[in-house]
């Protein structure tokens, strides 16, 4: 039996992203985050999703998100994060061998290309490591 990766595709601005569905708790419609003074620009604030408080992180720049955007809540009980995204597209299944063949590493990031479309792959642990590094740089 061929092993497959199940990945959620979503967009922020002109960029497309992939994330393993095993790392996602749920997708939730936009609600206005509660701002926390003194936090970095990429941290939008906190939201309450099903009685759980999540820190909302913006993945890219200053794109207008609007009320039709979404939060992707991470399935990590130790660190409650939600990514704010413009559009959630679909779940794709990619055979492991194809995934391994088409994945490209550039600096700190992984990318996947298929039929001329380039996706940035988000892995929760790598993202948390980048956040930790940014936090240390601010100190």
């Amino acid at each position: 039996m061929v092993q497959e990766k199940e990945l959620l595709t979503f967009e922020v601005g002109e960029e497309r992203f992939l994330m393993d569905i095993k790392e996602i708790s749920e997708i939730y419609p936009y609600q206005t985050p509660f701002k926390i003074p003194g936090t970095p620009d990429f941290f939008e604030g906190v939201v309450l999703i099903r009685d759980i408080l999540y820190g909302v992180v913006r993945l890219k720049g200053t794109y207008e998100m609007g009320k039709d955007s979404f939060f992707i809540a991470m399935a990590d009980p130790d660190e409650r994060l939600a990514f704010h995204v413009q559009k959630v597209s679909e779940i794709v299944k990619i055979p492991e061998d194809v995934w391994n063949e088409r994945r490209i590493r550039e600096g700190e990031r992984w990318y996947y290309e298929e039929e001329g479309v380039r996706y940035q792959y988000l892995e929760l642990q790598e993202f948390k490591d980048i956040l930790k590094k940014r936090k240390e740089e601010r100190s």
Side-chain angles (χ1 to χ4, degrees):
M1 180 178 208
V2 175
Q3 294 290 325
E4 293 181 318
K5 289 189 82 64
E6 287 186 288
L7 303 155
L8 178 71
T9 65
F10 55 95
E11 298 174 20
V12 178
E14 298 297 317
E15 290 201 52
R16 295 182 177 149
F17 294 86
L18 289 168
M19 182 167 231
D20 194 314
I21 62 167
K22 293 176 191 163
E23 295 189 334
I24 297 170
S25 170
E26 66 182 297
I27 300 165
Y28 204 77
Y30 177 82
Q31 57 181 291
T32 304
F34 178 77
K35 304 280 186 207
I36 299 177
T39 56
D41 292 340
F42 62 85
F43 188 79
E44 293 186 26
V46 294
V47 293
L48 195 61
I49 299 174
R50 299 192 197 285
D51 295 327
I52 298 172
L53 200 60
Y54 286 87
V56 178
V57 176
R58 181 177 287 244
L59 293 173
K60 299 296 287 183
T62 56
Y63 293 104
E64 274 301 314
M65 292 292 203
K67 301 236 184 273
D68 57 345
S69 58
F70 297 90
F71 297 126
I72 299 176
M74 301 297 97
D76 181 349
D78 297 325
E79 213 167 326
R80 298 293 184 171
L81 290 174
F83 298 127
H84 190 182
V85 305
Q86 283 176 311
K87 180 181 177 186
V88 175
S89 302
E90 64 182 330
I91 293 175
V92 296
K93 293 181 180 183
I94 302 171
E96 283 282 345
D97 58 336
V98 173
W99 172 255
N100 292 329
E101 180 182 301
R102 295 186 183 164
R103 231 175 16 151
I104 304 162
R105 181 134 186 133
E106 292 180 7
E108 294 181 325
R109 297 187 171 93
W110 283 101
Y111 293 91
Y112 176 81
E113 292 187 31
E114 184 172 83
E115 297 177 11
V117 179
R118 182 176 167 109
Y119 297 89
Q120 181 179 330
Y121 176 63
L122 280 180
E123 191 170 42
L124 184 57
Q125 186 57 52
E126 277 192 85
F127 186 78
K128 288 180 357 183
D129 291 345
I130 291 168
L131 286 179
K132 183 179 177 182
K133 185 178 172 182
R134 286 184 185 172
K135 184 178 178 181
E136 289 168 356
E137 290 170 356
R138 289 188 48 178
S139 300

